[in-house]
Amino acid sequence: MYPLKFKPILKERLWGGKKLKEVFGKASISETTGESWELSTVQGDISVIANGDLADNSLQELIEKYPNELLGKSVVDRFGKEFPILIKFIDAKQDLSIQLHPNDQLAKERHNSFGKTEMWYIMDADPGAELIVGFNKDVTKSEYAKSLESDSLLDLLNYEKVKEGDTFFINTGKIHAIGAGVLLAEIQQTSDVTYRVFDFNRRDKDGNLRELHTDLALDAIDYKKKDDFKVDYSKESNAINSMVQCPYFKTNFLNLTQSMVQDTLKRDSFTIFMCVDGEAKIENDFGQVIVNKGETTLLPASSKKIKINTTGVKLLEVTI
């Protein structure tokens, strides 16, 4: 099974823009494309293979036929025949809504879903662009509820200026929002459960306010001020630099100026590469693929060796 590329699933969003087309060359015909889902088995949005002999088969079909070969036995033992993570690129022309995600237990009880732990890698940011991550002080549930009633929630939130290369880990329960002017790569658990708590009183194209999930969010929020979200990682050239190691995914940063070979015989997990800058030819025992900035490839767990041929590329390497 060779390195697989997939047809991007483009999502129109009230807050989206044109960078996914202009910067990455995604096939958008809209001026409000907010997301490119690169790898997904979310119901209704299942990725379809774009290259090679397996083209036009879905990722889910491949998992059903070759679970251990594609995912890895240890991954199948944990998650069954479900792809455990969702990979996206996001373009925020406007501020996203302020939101949070429930943990696994709440998500299972309420939505028969996984929770949503995620991470962001900033690929580009307009001058002054920022994120909202967590609270600026410890708050109580009643203080939070009162801030919604008085339209003063923004006064309780923590704002972070961002630049290219900044990385953030967003655990479940943490209130957050992507700010206007940010283009990023997102790695998350396979889940589309989001609790929206404030949307700047915006209206959609039909003049309607978007749904809020005020009551659901109350018991899902972490009300403590925590400085646990900014990821401090090495950017050493031609090395495997660890970024995030959590129960749901592991992400490394590869800043390569020359080719690299990895022995993956004992990895027992698929490998994803998100190209966040430059270009590389990535190959395993069965084939090769070229990835450019804003593209993603999936290599099966059966890959015994992975070779990255490049003179300049920055990659996010994701495994389980």
Side-chain angles (χ1 to χ4, degrees):
M1 202 180 299
Y2 55 89
L4 301 170
K5 292 178 82 170
F6 295 84
K7 300 174 183 179
I9 302 168
L10 301 179
K11 296 287 188 177
E12 300 305 300
R13 298 293 188 238
L14 179 69
W15 40 261
K18 298 187 291 183
K19 288 183 180 177
L20 294 174
K21 177 181 180 180
E22 293 176 348
V23 179
F24 299 155
K26 303 295 182 185
S28 167
I29 57 172
S30 163
E31 295 193 355
T32 56
T33 303
E35 302 182 8
S36 176
W37 289 23
E38 300 287 298
L39 273 174
S40 167
T41 54
V42 173
Q43 195 63 37
D45 288 300
I46 296 177
S47 293
V48 173
I49 298 166
N51 66 319
D53 293 340
L54 294 169
D56 298 324
N57 286 277
S58 77
L59 176 56
Q60 192 61 55
E61 287 171 335
L62 214 59
I63 292 171
E64 294 293 335
K65 290 180 181 177
Y66 312 107
N68 290 346
E69 294 88 343
L70 182 61
L71 300 180
K73 185 178 184 304
S74 64
V75 177
V76 174
D77 288 346
R78 284 186 62 195
F79 300 100
K81 294 181 181 180
E82 294 188 43
F83 197 67
I85 53 180
L86 174 58
I87 300 290
K88 303 176 183 176
F89 293 111
I90 296 178
D91 170 27
K93 184 178 180 181
Q94 300 180 33
D95 295 329
L96 271 68
S97 62
I98 297 168
Q99 57 190 243
L100 62 131
H101 309 296
N103 61 28
D104 284 344
Q105 181 180 342
L106 274 180
K108 181 68 175 177
E109 291 172 1
R110 295 175 175 178
H111 314 285
N112 194 30
S113 172
F114 288 113
K116 191 172 173 182
T117 297
E118 60 190 0
M119 67 166 282
W120 297 331
Y121 174 90
I122 308 300
M123 296 180 66
D124 186 56
D126 293 347
E130 58 190 8
L131 308 175
I132 290 172
V133 192
F135 293 102
N136 58 30
K137 64 175 184 176
D138 290 351
V139 300
T140 64
K141 187 186 293 188
S142 61
E143 282 179 302
Y144 166 79
K146 288 176 183 175
S147 77
L148 292 181
E149 294 172 8
S150 62
D151 206 18
S152 61
L153 173 62
L154 298 180
D155 295 336
L156 298 178
L157 302 178
N158 174 58
Y159 295 81
E160 294 282 329
K161 299 285 187 187
V162 294
K163 64 183 184 305
E164 186 269 330
D166 286 348
T167 300
F168 296 83
F169 182 70
I170 311 296
N171 46 2
T172 55
K174 190 179 297 297
I175 201 163
H176 62 273
I178 301 170
V182 174
L183 179 67
L184 59 77
E186 180 176 271
I187 299 156
Q188 59 159 92
Q189 287 177 267
T190 290
S191 170
D192 206 25
V193 179
T194 295
Y195 294 162
R196 186 184 300 123
V197 298
F198 184 67
D199 195 33
F200 305 97
N201 303 313
R202 290 182 293 200
R203 296 181 181 273
D204 64 21
K205 61 181 181 353
D206 300 317
N208 301 312
L209 294 168
R210 292 202 293 173
E211 180 185 6
L212 299 180
H213 309 97
T214 307
D215 292 338
L216 286 172
L218 284 174
D219 292 330
I221 293 175
D222 183 350
Y223 293 100
K224 298 292 185 182
K225 178 186 184 300
K226 294 179 179 176
D227 297 321
D228 59 353
F229 46 81
K230 188 77 178 283
V231 178
D232 183 20
Y233 67 100
S234 169
K235 298 179 183 178
E236 181 183 349
S237 296
N238 306 311
I240 298 172
N241 302 291
S242 176
M243 302 176 87
V244 169
Q245 305 279 318
C246 76
Y248 308 105
F249 52 82
K250 300 169 186 172
T251 305
N252 298 319
F253 180 69
L254 277 58
N255 179 20
L256 305 182
T257 59
Q258 61 190 38
S259 296
M260 171 183 281
V261 178
Q262 293 189 46
D263 181 352
T264 53
L265 185 61
K266 298 180 180 179
R267 180 165 285 178
D268 199 24
S269 165
F270 58 84
T271 303
I272 296 166
F273 291 105
M274 301 183 78
C275 184
V276 295
D277 199 19
E279 178 186 19
K281 181 172 71 174
I282 299 175
E283 60 182 273
N284 68 358
D285 319 80
F286 310 106
Q288 61 189 37
V289 70
I290 292 175
V291 291
N292 293 284
K293 183 176 181 178
E295 294 185 329
T296 303
T297 185
L298 170 67
L299 284 87
S302 58
S303 302
K304 298 174 184 177
K305 185 184 295 183
I306 296 173
K307 184 173 183 181
I308 305 167
N309 300 283
T310 189
T311 56
V313 73
K314 293 179 181 177
L315 298 168
L316 304 183
E317 179 188 62
V318 187
T319 61
I320 296 293

